[in-house]
Amino acid sequence: IKKQKFENYEVIVVDGKSSDGTIELIKEIKDEKFKYIIEKDTGIYDAMNKGIKLSKGDWIIFLNSGDEFYNQDILKEVSIKETKNYNVIYADTVINNGSFQYKAKATNFTNRTFLMPFCHQSTFVRRALIDKFKFDLKYEISSDFNFFMQCSKQNEKFFNLNMIISKTLSGGFSDKNRNKVFDENLRIIRENNCSFILIFKLWKKKIINFIMNILKFIMPNFLILFFLKIKYYKFIIPKSDL
């Protein structure tokens, strides 16, 4: 973040009393743009809501530990985009799974969406909007999906920047708890009286994921890597390009 050429930003770090040396690093930073909260929380979205409450800027983006902006010009490039008529702006993300990197293409959130169509690490939301809805803590892992569904239902304007915003590592909380993501998304879809077709598609995805997990368990790693490269071959980004 400190490498960004655009300087009109603030950084709010929310730490749930970690024990890996992060707190010591946080307290070493002396920067007027920098604020932090160090206290226990009830989960990811509780921490994110605390950051929202402390924020003062017009737009908010959430970067998790290990996430990075794609390059040093990201905030500058986003700042000159014509976004005054939009409340949610989103873009693509580079995913690093350790063996190779690929671009996750972002798509819009519509009434046919049943899984997150973009990463929150590559999404800017107007603070006024996110302060209005916040993240519902009854969802442990899919509260961002619920938030954007409420935005879509309220006809908030989404805009695809058609660029890469961030780089992130695979194997995060959602990746490790994919089945819980499906369950919470199903709950959200039902509670919002969405189309039965969405429920069917999500159950289909859940069954496919279950089968894939079995195959991953019995297949050797080199074979898993081979099929992953086939799946993402159109979007693979050589590390030399980053």
Side-chain angles (χ1 to χ4, degrees):
I1 295 170
K2 293 178 73 174
K3 294 179 181 178
Q4 292 296 303
K5 293 180 180 179
F6 180 86
E7 296 184 350
N8 188 19
Y9 64 82
E10 63 181 355
V11 179
I12 300 170
V13 177
V14 185
D15 183 280
K17 284 199 169 181
S18 61
S19 58
D20 61 356
T22 299
I23 293 175
E24 289 74 15
L25 181 62
I26 289 170
K27 291 182 176 180
E28 287 177 5
I29 300 174
K30 307 299 180 184
D31 190 328
E32 63 181 10
K33 296 186 180 72
F34 185 87
K35 304 173 187 177
Y36 62 83
I37 304 170
I38 300 174
E39 61 185 27
K40 286 291 185 181
D41 54 59
T42 60
I44 295 171
Y45 298 110
D46 184 28
M48 291 165 75
N49 282 342
K50 289 179 180 182
I52 294 166
K53 188 175 181 180
L54 192 61
S55 68
K56 302 296 182 183
D58 295 326
W59 294 89
I60 291 179
I61 186 171
F62 295 97
L63 297 179
N64 301 326
S65 179
D67 297 336
E68 301 176 57
F69 283 124
Y70 184 59
N71 59 47
Q72 62 188 5
D73 296 314
I74 292 301
L75 293 182
K76 182 179 179 180
E77 290 179 23
V78 172
S79 71
I80 62 176
K81 296 283 187 180
E82 185 55 61
T83 59
K84 66 180 181 180
N85 295 323
Y86 303 96
N87 287 331
V88 180
I89 54 178
Y90 61 93
D92 304 334
T93 307
V94 171
I95 310 293
N96 183 349
N97 73 357
S99 299
F100 64 94
Q101 300 176 113
Y102 63 93
K103 181 169 67 174
K105 289 287 293 179
T107 57
N108 198 14
F109 203 108
T110 71
N111 59 7
R112 298 185 298 276
T113 300
F114 58 92
L115 289 172
M116 279 292 290
F118 42 73
C119 299
H120 72 233
Q121 297 96 324
S122 294
T123 306
F124 293 85
V125 182
R126 286 196 186 275
R127 190 181 66 82
L129 176 64
I130 204 167
D131 190 51
K132 174 184 174 182
F133 288 116
K134 290 197 172 63
F135 293 106
D136 193 331
L137 301 188
K138 71 181 179 182
Y139 305 114
E140 181 184 357
I141 200 166
S142 292
S143 194
D144 51 353
F145 176 76
N146 178 67
F147 170 80
F148 290 116
M149 176 168 282
Q150 304 315 311
C151 291
S152 180
K153 287 177 66 177
Q154 295 291 327
N155 295 315
E156 298 293 346
K157 299 297 184 180
F158 289 68
F159 179 64
N160 190 339
L161 293 169
N162 288 312
M163 58 185 285
I164 297 173
I165 292 292
S166 68
K167 299 181 288 183
T168 186
L169 300 172
S170 64
F173 191 58
S174 295
D175 289 338
K176 293 178 179 177
N177 296 273
R178 186 59 56 187
N179 201 55
K180 189 172 181 64
V181 171
F182 294 142
D183 289 341
E184 286 198 358
N185 283 22
L186 277 168
R187 179 181 168 192
I188 292 165
I189 288 170
R190 290 190 180 108
E191 289 177 351
N192 285 275
N193 298 314
C194 296
S195 167
F196 177 76
I197 294 174
L198 295 187
I199 297 176
F200 172 77
K201 288 182 176 180
L202 195 48
W203 265 107
K204 180 181 176 182
K205 190 78 173 178
K206 183 176 180 179
I207 292 170
I208 292 172
N209 183 69
F210 175 75
I211 295 171
M212 292 303 298
N213 284 337
I214 293 175
L215 292 175
K216 288 178 182 178
F217 184 75
I218 62 177
M219 284 194 301
N221 288 336
F222 78 90
L223 202 54
I224 295 173
L225 180 59
F226 173 75
F227 285 117
L228 283 174
K229 285 185 174 181
I230 291 176
K231 179 179 179 181
Y232 297 114
Y233 82 96
K234 288 184 178 180
F235 306 107
I236 290 178
I237 300 175
K239 291 186 178 181
S240 60
D241 290 348
L242 297 180

